[in-house]
Amino acid sequence: MPLDESLSFVPLHIAALTVSDTRVPATDTSGDTLVARLTAAGHVLAARAIIRDEVPALVAQLKMWIDDPAIDVIITTGGTGVTGRDVTPEALDQVAEKMIPGFGELFRWLSFQSIGTSTIQSRACAGLARGTYIFCLPGSTGAVKDGWDGILASQLDARHRPCNFVELLPRLQER
């Protein structure tokens, strides 16, 4: 889809959260990939953290960032699989006011082009909480590339047409 070059780019403040029991800053390749892509696009890295696959810890981190008026978007990487320790969607369920089911559906469709039927193991998802978008990607660098390049780069660009998530930000908390 085209960008309307007559419009201005609006840099968003994005928090990057890696969900992993094993990664540390030196080995967080998916987090590094996400940060590189969002900053290259012109967005601002507002915060970054690595949290273990534990629902209470994830919920606490998400709530802290949701409550921060300086953060527009949270993108997580990891914890979206089907193993017992994969709990990112469950944490999202505890904070989201609205789900964005099309995100996971489109992610799996795009991912299918890269990894075939293995994409069925992904529970990539997205939601909205008190005016903050939350997108949950799988933990591989390939998944981060698929999610950012195929969906988020355009939907988080105010110039993207016919519509995008940025233009809705001022109206997210309407009642």
Side-chain angles (χ1 to χ4, degrees):
M1 290 281 127
L3 293 180
D4 183 343
E5 298 295 341
S6 71
L7 299 173
S8 297
F9 178 80
V10 176
L12 299 175
H13 292 81
I14 301 175
L17 178 62
T18 298
V19 181
S20 175
D21 287 337
T22 59
R23 293 195 185 162
V24 296
T27 61
D28 185 15
T29 56
S30 61
D32 291 342
T33 299
L34 175 60
V35 169
R37 277 176 155 63
L38 72 89
T39 55
H43 297 292
V44 176
L45 178 64
R48 183 173 179 182
I50 299 174
I51 299 288
R52 293 181 55 81
D53 292 274
E54 296 172 358
V55 172
L58 288 169
V59 168
Q61 183 66 64
L62 291 172
K63 285 182 176 180
M64 185 176 74
W65 284 347
I66 291 163
D67 290 340
D68 186 340
I71 294 177
D72 303 307
V73 177
I74 300 166
I75 304 174
T76 73
T77 174
T80 62
V82 297
T83 71
R85 297 288 298 158
D86 292 320
V87 296
T88 302
E90 288 75 16
L92 178 63
D93 286 344
Q94 290 191 26
V95 299
E97 297 162 346
K98 291 185 179 183
M99 298 304 287
I100 307 171
F103 176 79
E105 295 161 1
L106 181 55
F107 174 83
R108 282 179 285 282
W109 180 80
L110 290 169
S111 178
F112 180 78
Q113 314 304 311
S114 301
I115 64 170
T117 59
S118 295
T119 194
I120 196 102
Q121 295 178 29
S122 168
R123 296 187 302 144
C125 53
L128 180 63
R130 295 190 309 281
T132 303
Y133 290 113
I134 306 166
F135 301 99
C136 304
L137 295 168
S140 72
T141 55
V144 170
K145 290 174 185 176
D146 287 346
W148 181 267
D149 298 348
I151 306 170
L152 295 173
S154 58
Q155 280 298 299
L156 298 179
D157 190 329
R159 303 168 297 169
H160 179 76
R161 293 291 167 249
C163 57
N164 59 76
F165 283 127
V166 181
E167 63 193 2
L168 300 176
L169 275 168
R171 297 178 32 218
L172 293 179
Q173 296 191 66
E174 290 177 338
R175 296 287 172 218

